[in-house]
Amino acid sequence: MATIKDVALLARVSTATVSRVINQTAWVEPVTRERVEKAMRDLNYRRNAAALALAKRSGDMLGLLTGNLADPFFARLARGVEEVTRKHQFRLMVCSGGHDESMEKAGLDFLVNQGCEAIVVHASRLSDKELLRYSAHFPAMVVVNRYIAGMAHRCIWLENRSAAREATLHLLAQGHRYIACVTSDLPIIDRQDRLEGYRQAMAEYGVTVEKQWVISVPFNEEGGERAAHLLLNSGIAFTAALTFNDVMAAGIMRVLHQQGVNLPQKLSLVGFDDVVLARYLHPALTTMHYPVEHMARRASALAIQLYQGVTLPPSANSFSATLVIRDSVFPLISAEK
């Protein structure tokens, strides 16, 4: 009698893939599924009815694909998801995509293959087309921190453009005109939207943004340190900078403190996210509060409702950031529009 190993050998796949096809517990590429099913027919393989019934039992598991968990922003996202899974007595499985396309795809495949019935996805590198392909097979998959028109009812997103505009307008209102934008070096939609918001605010004050004013670096502490050196060596009399996130601002502060630059008198900073460390920096960081935990709770609750077949009315799933004023912005005496 043929075994699952025999089927896997003939179909040139793993036994795990054969199991997924047999038990229908996860999505498998159509061409692979066809090859497995042909091997089963050729070998006259018979499914075990009892094993199939066991495999189909619901495990009430929610999967979370997130970014780098070492980043406090993603720790907040995971905490929001965990609150909802505990409330609904779901098990939680977490995978990091590391802002890398292949890692994100591998992580999403892993969650699917582990039998997660509901999935919350934070993916910065997978294309809209790829995420739409997954969503077509998994009706309880919700995307957070991203808007995709083809699945807008299953997206939870932040209005990044208006947030960056508000942050830049705050600096402009304090009299700053030479304002750098320290942004991500990855071509992600957040970067594009925030740059547009920054440019829009500058244009409202009649300020022309030069190419050198936009500094693209990795969006972590090391990227912030690199940005600080670029700011110091630019030859431009920057008086302020808007950063892509708070940890980049922390990296900038570290280098400027080492170089004896007085903050915020010589350089004002506005961050983004409002992670816990922002209030403990010196000076305490003015930043845009990103309601990521609230968004995470909304995303995970929506994923569970979709899995449970709840009929949901149309709802607005966009969120706004709010300005948190602390001590890192110095008002210039000659403040005027």
Side-chain angles (χ1 to χ4, degrees):
M1 180 180 294
T3 67
I4 193 172
K5 290 183 179 179
D6 298 326
V7 175
L9 185 62
L10 183 60
R12 303 188 305 281
V13 297
S14 68
T15 55
T17 298
V18 176
S19 177
R20 290 193 290 272
V21 172
I22 293 172
N23 299 316
Q24 300 177 34
T25 52
W27 184 77
V28 177
E29 291 280 359
V31 64
T32 304
R33 177 178 293 277
E34 183 179 343
R35 199 161 71 239
V36 171
E37 290 177 343
K38 182 179 184 303
M40 290 166 60
R41 290 193 299 271
D42 291 347
L43 293 171
N44 197 27
Y45 178 82
R46 293 286 181 266
R47 309 180 189 196
N48 184 304
L52 178 60
L54 181 64
K56 284 181 172 291
R57 286 171 54 189
S58 171
D60 285 347
M61 184 184 298
L62 184 142
L64 170 62
L65 175 67
T66 186
N68 179 10
L69 285 170
D71 187 321
F73 172 85
F74 293 106
R76 288 174 58 204
L77 188 152
R79 185 166 59 205
V81 172
E82 183 184 28
E83 288 178 16
V84 173
T85 55
R86 285 182 181 275
K87 178 180 176 181
H88 291 270
Q89 297 184 326
F90 267 61
R91 292 177 294 155
L92 176 61
M93 182 170 290
V94 182
C95 229
S96 174
H99 305 294
D100 175 85
E101 183 179 1
S102 61
M103 285 181 63
E104 288 180 349
K105 186 176 188 307
L108 190 48
D109 287 339
F110 174 79
L111 295 174
V112 166
N113 294 335
Q114 292 301 308
C116 294
E117 288 87 5
I119 302 176
V120 174
V121 175
H122 183 291
S124 61
R125 304 296 286 143
L126 282 176
S127 66
D128 287 0
K129 181 179 179 181
E130 188 77 359
L131 289 172
L132 283 168
R133 183 176 71 86
Y134 277 100
S135 72
H137 295 279
F138 301 100
M141 186 184 99
V142 175
V143 173
V144 65
N145 194 33
R146 186 162 171 176
Y147 175 83
I148 302 174
M151 56 178 297
H153 64 296
R154 288 196 271 156
C155 292
I156 311 294
W157 69 94
L158 185 80
E159 296 293 349
N160 277 289
R161 187 179 296 117
S162 60
R165 174 179 173 271
E166 182 178 356
T168 310
L169 286 174
H170 177 65
L171 288 168
L172 288 160
Q174 302 305 309
H176 297 276
R177 297 296 180 269
Y178 288 91
I179 304 171
C181 183
V182 180
T183 187
S184 163
D185 61 353
L186 293 177
I188 54 179
I189 192 66
D190 290 7
R191 176 186 192 274
Q192 177 183 327
D193 287 346
R194 293 182 196 178
L195 271 175
E196 288 177 4
Y198 159 76
R199 293 181 187 278
Q200 181 182 346
M202 297 290 272
E204 290 177 30
Y205 271 71
V207 180
T208 300
V209 175
E210 304 293 341
K211 182 179 179 181
Q212 305 95 305
W213 292 20
V214 177
I215 298 172
S216 299
V217 289
F219 53 98
N220 53 29
E221 297 91 332
E222 290 77 11
E225 292 178 342
R226 188 186 306 176
H229 290 293
L230 292 171
L231 287 167
L232 290 172
N233 298 323
S234 67
I236 302 170
F238 290 119
T239 62
L242 172 68
T243 65
F244 188 81
N245 60 26
D246 295 341
V247 295
M248 294 171 82
I252 291 174
M253 284 186 177
R254 178 176 184 273
V255 170
L256 295 185
H257 283 313
Q258 289 176 335
Q259 297 295 321
V261 176
N262 291 326
L263 300 175
Q265 290 82 359
K266 292 298 182 181
L267 187 76
S268 292
L269 287 172
V270 175
F272 210 106
D273 289 344
D274 192 25
V275 298
V276 173
L277 71 84
R279 70 194 70 171
Y280 298 109
L281 294 172
H282 180 68
L285 184 65
T286 292
T287 185
M288 297 302 296
H289 176 74
Y290 195 132
V292 62
E293 289 179 55
H294 190 183
M295 293 168 66
R297 289 193 291 267
R298 173 80 66 85
S300 46
L302 176 57
I304 290 173
Q305 289 174 317
L306 290 169
Y307 163 63
Q308 293 173 337
V310 177
T311 301
L312 301 171
S315 61
N317 290 324
S318 66
F319 286 74
S320 299
T322 53
L323 180 66
V324 178
I325 298 176
R326 296 193 179 102
D327 307 324
S328 63
V329 175
F330 184 76
L332 300 183
I333 296 175
S334 59
E336 59 178 321
K337 185 173 178 180

